[in-house]
Amino acid sequence: MTATPFDSAHLHKLFAAGEIGKLFSDSAEIRAMMIVLGTLAKVQGAAGVIPETAAKAIHRASLELQVDPRGLAEQAARDGSPVPALVEAFASLMQAPEYARYLLQDARPQDIEDSALMLRLRQALTLCGDELDSLLDQLAALAGSGRQPCAALSCGRSLLPLRDALPELRGRALCVSLGGDTALRAALAEALNLADPGRDWSEERSGPRAIADWAAQLTQALALIRAPGETGTEAAALASLWVHSSAMRSMFPSAQCGAAARFTEWLALPQLMLGTGAALKHARALAEERMQRAPTGPGKTLEPEALERFIAAATRG
């Protein structure tokens, strides 16, 4: 048994997270942090905090340079963060010390980590939203087809509020992190297409916690697509992922702040998001399997009005 099934050689296809898995890799984290470093320099140059020539050089280099995550390990272990090592590697690769000395000017390593995390979580939520829309289309078709319509309707109704909550969640939770200068924080938020929280959230961590809540609720709602007593690979995987999401979410106590909260995120948030990605894939596969089955017959009668309302809401019709 490996530490996580998502990167296991023999289990990763059973718990395949799809495209979300690519967002929680060392290379994706480093790339996101370099984007933040380059964008920070760009807005600092526009604000006159650093020379415009240095800002342009750093921003251009952030889009072109490649940093090997393995080369950061030793210093990251000493610092408790990969950012100082990344800044040194970035500066070395730039080969322009007169510009590189302005990297991470007036910002904290945790600002770079947190803003980069939000960039990746934004992509993860977009992928989840797209998969959720597709699944709701499938469930609407199932509900109107006579193929286990009650299960489709029950699962679909629990998914609709989570889909509809996504825009508000994005606006509330996907926030830039930058202490100090409020005008600069607003400019960085705009440049990265993240929200300006109007405060320093690096200690209280409410944004990542809200996303963890939503992801756990989604994974657990997806398990409702299983019919009572249903067996098979997809149903069994959804049952396992339901338990997995509950365990991961329990690691985010509401009162946890600071370093403890950050280490909790490192341990649990990627697992939770990968589990949600896997649950969406299994739910869609199970819905597709059901579409290939023969209609189940009359069974329990569904109210036509309730069915019509669900299909309209699920398809945004």
Side-chain angles (χ1 to χ4, degrees), residues 1-18 233-234 236-238 240-241 244 271 274-275 278-279 281-282:
M1 180 182 296
T2 56
T4 167
F6 301 109
D7 60 7
S8 165
H10 61 283
L11 292 177
H12 74 279
K13 289 190 180 297
L14 180 59
F15 294 100
T233 300
E234 312 298 349
L238 284 167
S240 297
L241 289 165
H244 174 268
Q271 297 287 309
L274 292 180
K281 288 180 68 68
H282 284 296

Side-chain angles (χ1 to χ4, degrees), residues 137-149 152 225 286-292 307:
D137 286 340
Q138 289 176 286
L139 293 176
L142 275 171
S145 70
R147 294 170 174 84
Q148 295 183 320
I225 195 175
L286 187 54
E288 183 60 32
E289 281 181 16
R290 288 191 178 151
M291 284 301 294
Q292 308 306 318
L307 185 58

Side-chain angles (χ1 to χ4, degrees), residues 299-316:
K300 182 178 178 181
T301 303
L302 296 176
E303 294 182 5
E305 295 83 0
L307 185 58
E308 289 175 8
R309 286 196 300 271
F310 167 67
I311 291 174
T315 60
R316 302 181 192 266

